[in-house]
Each structure stands twice: as C-alpha cells, then as structure tokens.
Amino acid sequence: MEQRFIAIDQSTSSTKALLFDEQCKVLARTNVDHKQYYPQTGWVEHDAEEIYQNMIEAIRILSEELKVKSEEFPTGQVTGAGSMAAANSSLFTLHSSLCLTNQRETAVVWNKTTGKPIAHAVVWQDTRGAELCRQLRAQGKGPMVMQKSGLLIDPNFSATGVKWLLDNIEGAREACSRGELLMGTIETWLIWKLTGGKVHATDYTNASRTMLFNIHTLDWDDDLLRLFDIPRSMMPEVKPCDCVYGETTCEGLFPTPIQIAGVLGDSHGALVGQMCFEPGSGKVTYGTGSSVMVNIGEEPKAAPEGLVTSVGFSAFGKTYYGFEGNIYSTGATLKWIADQLQLVGHPSEMEAQATSVEDNGGVYIVPAFSGLGAPWWQSEVKGAVFGLTFATTKAHFLRAALESIAYQIKDLIDVMARATGGRLKEIAADGGPTKNKFLMQFQADMLDTPVVCTEVDDASALGAVIMNGFARGVWSSFDEVAPLRKVTQVIQPQPNKQKNNLYQGWRNAVNQLIK
C-alpha cells in the first residue's frame, strides 16, 4: 500500500495538519489558529500547551474529514482525497507516519516531571533579550558567537529567551540546578509530548537557530552555554533531519503507534521542499516573517555582513549549510492591517485596492514591529510610515504595505547575490502571499530575477515529508525525489523605469530609522 505522510506545519500563527501521498501531492489539510500574547511592549508569547492540543485537534479534524469522504463515495468512483480515504478506510493505517516542521527559535522551558511549561513560550519575534544582546556585543562576544554558531547576537534566537525564563520565573534556577527542567524549540516540545516524555530531541536545523549550537561540531557548545548560563542538562539530543525520532498514537487517535520521522525548521523545510539540493539554489518563504536562504554546500562558510550561516538540512549522512537572512514582518504586516487597523477584511482583499492606484503616492511603510532583521539587525527600531500627505489614500497605504515586503526581500537578495558571485538565476517562492499577483510581479521586477512558484503552497511541510521519506526508505536519493517538484508559474521581470527610484525611497526611509 502506498505511503501516506501526515505533515505538521506548526507556524507562528497556527498549526496545520496536511496529508501527502508518495507523489508529494496534498490530499487534505486543516488549520487551527492559536492565541498571540503581548504582555508588554516588545514581548510576544505563545501557550505551548495550547499549541500541542491544537496539533492533536488538527490531526483529529483531518481524520474526520477523510472519514466523511470515504463514506460519501464508494471505492473507485472518485479521485483525490476521496478515493484515497475510501481505499484506506480511514487515516489510521500502518502506512501512515508523522513528520514535523515548525516556527523556529521560539523557546519553551518545562518541568520534565510535571510535563508543564514554567511559563509561556518566548516567541522568535520577542525583543525582551535586546538589552542582554547589547551588553554581550559591547563585551566583544560577537565574533566568538558568530564563529561558533554562525549567528549574530540577537534576541531573535532562542538563547536569550531561555535565559530570561530561567532568570525571571520564580524557582526556575533552583529547579534547573536540580535537573528538573528541559528546554527546546517548538518541535522538541511536540516530540516530547507526542512520545509521552520518552524522547527529548531536536534536529540540526532547529538547533542551529538557538545561538547555543556549534555548526562545525554539530553539538551544543560549552562556551555558548556558559555565556547564557544554560546548563547542558536542559538540552535535547540533536539528530539529523532524516531519521526516526520515535513513535506516537497522537493521544489515541491511532490504534497502534506510528513513527515520527523527518523533522526540520520551517525555512529549512521550504529549502528542501523547493528541491534546493544544489549549492547556489535558493528560496524565499513568505510567511509571518520571511526567510531568504541559499544552499552553500557542505562547508559552513562565514556569512557576508548582514546574513547568518545556518545548517540548511542534513540527509544521507551529510550536512548542507545555507546563508540566510530573516525578515520579521512580511505576512504579519498584512495581518496587522486587516486585524488591527481593519482597513480590509482579509489580506487577500489588498491586491485589488493596491492596484487601483498607479503607484504608492510616495508612501513607505517600514514594518519594524519587532525591530529590523537582516541585513540591519537592529532590534530596538520601531515601525514607521513615511511620506504621508493629504493626497494619501487607503489604496496608497495598502500598496506601500505590499511593496515593503518586496523591498525587504531585495535587501537580502542583493547581499546574497554579491556573496555567491552575481545575480541569482531564479528564486523559488512559497507561502500564502505568493498568491498575490501584484506582489509577485513587483518582486520579480525589483529583483530583475524570475520568481518561480510551485504546485505545493506548503513547501515547508513538503520538506518534512521528503525527510520522512528519506528516513523511512521511501526515496533513496535527492535525484529520485527532485522530479516531483512541479512548477506552476514563472513570473518574469518586466521593465519598470521607476524601480530604482522606488527602491531608493525605501532605503531613505530605512536610513532614517537605523543607527
């Protein structure tokens, strides 16, 4: 019987459960949102227990939908998810397995005896560690941290969140000294819960985003652990992406345990899902924030200024590295406009209004809600709007918000192009905002580079599926799985006489904010 892959894509705003087949096609999907907590200015938190329960709920909803389809249509009379469900009777089959991709850097600390987090998770967008980062940079720790971890000292990464929890939650340091506490990024927490506390593990990609992991030795680094006063006893075991992590019944949803195999961070998942197996190939993930990553091969080279070096992915006994830049607010900007400002009912409504005007009317939005990420790395900067006049309309504002995404991506692509020897041949794009035709065309024009969209919107989840398949012997090589990538659209850059002036306007706006 053909393999079925249950992929969990645990993002900053929600938890998706998707069902894939061996042809890497999505047969069904569901999505459950979780609450965002903003207890103080600059603080962003998640309830890790809510996220776990949402994951179980998403799998349950997925299975119920498939059961309904299997009951509605006799075997052989339908195609797609219906025929799959009818053939298998239900989602629960020995030929299913579970894989995970997740929001990175978000830090959870929990008590291994009670199984309860000691506080809400500190999300990657959180800036409460900014002052500590400034102190460490002033002490000259930046070069050491960069050499070992590949990362700049920044509160975006997990170490400052973990240290804050240990230093500020009552009794945490004492419990830690007794060996009672564990830490992990979100996938570590989910694996621990799924296996009933039997497996405390992470993968190389998520570990490489903590600022505690040595990308050369592929192990937790004692110097970095000491720098942030985090004991090694808290740290999970680190494994390659393409291995079996454990077994689970998903709280009894499966009558017999299924394997958990294939784990990696969301940006790395998209790199794999876009089949960027060759050095020099790269992708842009348009999500809550955006990640631009280029495969640089098996050597962890020093990143050019403004970028970081991370583990790209690990498979077949080899580790591949990537240059990466992270933008904190792209899709989050559109969500803010819809949810907070209520200028539109849904981000999907923005394109029609944005294209109702010829240009941005001189308006630039710098969405530094959580500071500016790469290539600026200034966490203390706040968001700003420039160029407002009495002639400014809502359409100009919405267009400026969409354009801000393309400008931020261009900031990073230009640095990467110089580092890799010239303009990239193409950029693979994934994520919800890729459905915005105006944004994708504007992006291609700004980059003067084709933007390639593929059949699967959920590239991060697909990357986890591919690693699951490698771990379980479904595919035995990159070459075997690469042809499953189906390109649906290539957006070619169009002549745009104003693009240089538009981009210079963006840079002028940013320069008014950075120090």
Coordinates of all heavy atoms in Angstrom, one line a residue, residues 4 35 80 94 110 244 271 279 306 371 389 442 498-499 515:
R4 N 1.4 7.2 3.2 CA 0.8 8.4 3.5 C 1.5 9.2 4.5 O 2.0 8.6 5.5 CB -0.7 8.2 3.9 CG -1.6 7.5 3.0 CD -1.8 8.3 1.7 NE -2.8 7.6 0.8 CZ -2.6 7.5 -0.5 NH1 -1.5 8.0 -1.1 NH2 -3.5 6.9 -1.2
K35 N -3.6 31.5 20.0 CA -3.6 32.9 20.5 C -2.2 33.5 20.6 O -1.3 32.8 20.9 CB -4.3 32.9 21.9 CG -4.5 34.3 22.5 CD -5.3 34.3 23.8 CE -5.5 35.7 24.3 NZ -6.2 35.7 25.6
G80 N -8.5 11.7 -6.0 CA -8.0 12.6 -4.9 C -8.3 12.1 -3.5 O -8.2 10.9 -3.3
L94 N -1.3 1.6 9.1 CA 0.1 1.3 9.4 C 1.0 2.0 8.3 O 2.2 2.0 8.6 CB 0.3 -0.2 9.4 CG -0.4 -0.9 10.5 CD1 -0.1 -2.4 10.4 CD2 0.1 -0.5 11.9
W110 N 10.2 23.6 30.2 CA 9.2 22.9 31.0 C 9.8 22.0 32.0 O 11.0 21.6 32.0 CB 8.3 22.1 30.1 CG 8.9 21.0 29.3 CD1 8.9 19.6 29.7 CD2 9.6 21.0 28.1 NE1 9.5 18.9 28.7 CE2 10.0 19.7 27.7 CE3 10.0 22.0 27.2 CZ2 10.7 19.4 26.6 CZ3 10.7 21.7 26.0 CH2 11.0 20.4 25.8
V244 N 14.4 8.6 12.3 CA 13.2 8.3 13.0 C 13.4 8.8 14.5 O 14.4 8.5 15.1 CB 12.9 6.8 13.0 CG1 11.7 6.5 13.9 CG2 12.6 6.3 11.6
L271 N 13.4 25.1 1.9 CA 14.5 24.9 1.1 C 14.5 23.5 0.5 O 14.8 23.3 -0.7 CB 15.8 25.1 1.9 CG 17.1 25.1 1.1 CD1 17.2 26.4 0.4 CD2 18.3 25.0 2.1
P279 N 24.2 23.5 -4.4 CA 24.8 24.8 -3.9 C 24.4 25.9 -4.9 O 24.5 25.7 -6.1 CB 26.3 24.5 -3.9 CG 26.4 23.1 -3.6 CD 25.3 22.4 -4.4
G306 N 25.5 41.1 7.5 CA 24.1 41.2 7.4 C 23.4 39.9 7.3 O 22.1 39.8 7.5
G371 N 11.5 45.2 15.6 CA 12.8 45.6 15.1 C 13.0 45.2 13.7 O 12.2 44.7 13.0
T389 N 0.7 62.4 3.0 CA 0.2 63.8 2.6 C -1.3 63.7 2.6 O -1.9 62.7 2.8 CB 0.7 64.2 1.2 OG1 0.0 63.4 0.2 CG2 2.2 64.0 1.0
F442 N 5.8 42.6 -8.7 CA 6.6 43.7 -8.2 C 7.9 43.1 -7.7 O 9.0 43.7 -7.8 CB 5.9 44.4 -7.1 CG 6.5 45.7 -6.7 CD1 6.5 46.8 -7.5 CD2 7.2 45.8 -5.5 CE1 7.1 48.0 -7.1 CE2 7.8 47.0 -5.1 CZ 7.7 48.1 -5.9
Q498 N 10.7 53.0 -12.9 CA 10.7 53.7 -11.6 C 11.3 52.8 -10.5 O 11.4 53.3 -9.4 CB 9.2 54.0 -11.3 CG 8.5 55.0 -12.2 CD 9.3 56.3 -12.2 OE1 9.6 56.8 -11.2 NE2 9.5 56.9 -13.4
K499 N 11.7 51.6 -10.8 CA 12.1 50.7 -9.8 C 13.3 51.2 -9.0 O 13.3 51.0 -7.7 CB 12.4 49.3 -10.3 CG 13.6 49.1 -11.1 CD 13.8 47.6 -11.5 CE 15.1 47.4 -12.2 NZ 15.3 46.0 -12.6
K515 N 20.6 53.2 13.3 CA 21.7 53.9 13.9 C 23.0 53.7 13.2 O 23.2 52.6 12.7 CB 21.8 53.5 15.4 CG 20.5 53.9 16.2 CD 20.6 53.4 17.6 CE 19.4 53.7 18.4 NZ 19.5 53.3 19.8

